[in-house]
Amino acid sequence: NCFLFVHFFSGFRRKGDLQHCIESHEIVGNQQIFCISVDLCLAKEFSDLTNAETKQFWIQKMRQGLVIGIGGGPSCETWSAARHMPAGPSPLRSYDFPWGLPGLTGKQWRQVSTGTTLIQFLVDLLVVASQLGLCGFLEHPQFPLWLMRVRPASIWMLQALRKLARLECVQICSFDQCVFGLDATKPTTLMLLRLHTFKDVTFTKGLRGRCPHRTKHKPLQGIQQD
């Protein structure tokens, strides 16, 4: 038997990515798990996740029993806390206007619309996955508590995500990525659908998933040559 996990918003393939981890597992009996990485930078067909037909294509594959799970981290460009930094681009959303601030330019509105559609794509697939008994995850930056005074936007404050989180098969896991070896703190939140083991493992690292390091990490900003 072969099982298929689909990783959306995967970016370019690289050593140690999700597909690499899934396909390097030990084979138990005759059962094997394969992974498909889906991103516009890898292939154009069935990879434009803003396209309604593409969404229906993947939902159909799930309903046909060809997929065991789905997951990914939709673009956080228009939701990023970096937009509140002095040298960063201007905010496009807020806690009170999560779908776009009043007075956006045409270009900014197109950015926001695309970002919203990409979130909706994965949320819709997770709803279907929950109904079909599949597993999955959604990854996004943790709500920036240090910006509370400016009421920043975050997908974790959206009503749809908060309702989805109430399902018994869903768990929320917030942690710092440095506990997995990243040279930066990078607070991250995962919505886990029937993947509770990940939360159990994460909480055994660091200070229950939080940074245990005494020296400060370098902030993740700018572009390096590699």
Side-chain angles (χ1 to χ4, degrees), residues 98-113:
W99 310 122
L101 291 169
L104 296 179
T105 66
K107 180 181 178 181
Q108 290 173 328
W109 172 247
R110 287 189 292 273
Q111 281 181 287
V112 168
S113 181

Side-chain angles (χ1 to χ4, degrees), residues 146-162:
W146 61 93
L147 287 174
M148 282 288 288
R149 59 184 177 79
V150 297
R151 298 177 67 83
S154 171
I155 70 165
W156 304 116
M157 295 296 102
L158 299 178
Q159 191 176 51
L161 272 293
R162 295 168 78 171

Side-chain angles (χ1 to χ4, degrees), residues 109-146:
W109 172 247
R110 287 189 292 273
Q111 281 181 287
V112 168
S113 181
T114 298
T116 297
T117 302
L118 294 176
I119 293 292
Q120 290 174 330
F121 171 88
L122 198 53
V123 170
D124 287 348
L125 263 65
L126 283 173
V127 170
V128 174
S130 68
Q131 295 169 340
L132 295 176
L134 309 180
C135 65
F137 71 90
L138 188 158
E139 178 268 334
H140 227 241
Q142 180 186 310
F143 181 85
L145 295 172
W146 61 93

Side-chain angles (χ1 to χ4, degrees), residues 171-193:
Q171 284 188 314
I172 300 296
C173 177
S174 293
F175 61 99
D176 296 329
Q177 288 198 28
C178 63
V179 301
F180 286 105
L182 184 69
D183 190 24
T185 308
K186 199 175 184 182
T188 299
T189 297
L190 286 175
M191 173 173 280
L192 303 167
L193 172 62

